[in-house]
Amino acid sequence: MKKDIHPKYDVCKVTCACGNSFETRSTLEEIKVTVCNACHPFYTGKKGGRVAEAGRLEKFRQKYAGVDYGQRKVSE
């Protein structure tokens, strides 16, 4: 391997929005994530707040389904 061409690969602190944090190795010093294994519904087996947000988005899309927001049609 050539010297002085590779990025620094060192201990990195990962912080989740739920407050959980852990250390891993990366080229970055700190990583911030929104979901981790401590709060993701797949790992916890519970329905989380992220699932409720998806419901709100679907409700918004249904409410404004017929509105074109002044955009051109595809045929124009």
Side-chain angles (χ1 to χ4, degrees):
M1 289 183 5
K2 293 183 180 179
K3 295 186 179 202
D4 301 328
I5 65 166
H6 300 286
K8 182 180 176 186
Y9 186 71
D10 204 10
V11 176
C12 167
K13 183 176 181 181
V14 180
T15 307
C16 180
C18 71
N20 185 31
S21 63
F22 56 92
E23 289 186 351
T24 187
R25 295 181 57 92
S26 175
T27 57
L28 302 174
E29 293 179 11
E30 183 178 5
I31 300 173
K32 294 184 180 181
V33 294
T34 56
V35 187
C36 68
N37 63 339
C39 62
H40 194 280
F42 179 79
Y43 297 107
T44 61
K46 302 176 186 175
K47 287 189 175 183
R50 310 270 184 247
V51 176
E53 290 176 8
R56 284 188 225 132
L57 181 59
E58 290 301 318
K59 188 176 180 181
F60 176 83
R61 286 184 178 159
Q62 288 175 357
K63 183 176 180 180
Y64 295 104
V67 181
D68 63 348
Y69 304 108
Q71 297 173 346
R72 292 184 175 180
K73 304 264 190 258
V74 176
S75 61
E76 293 181 7

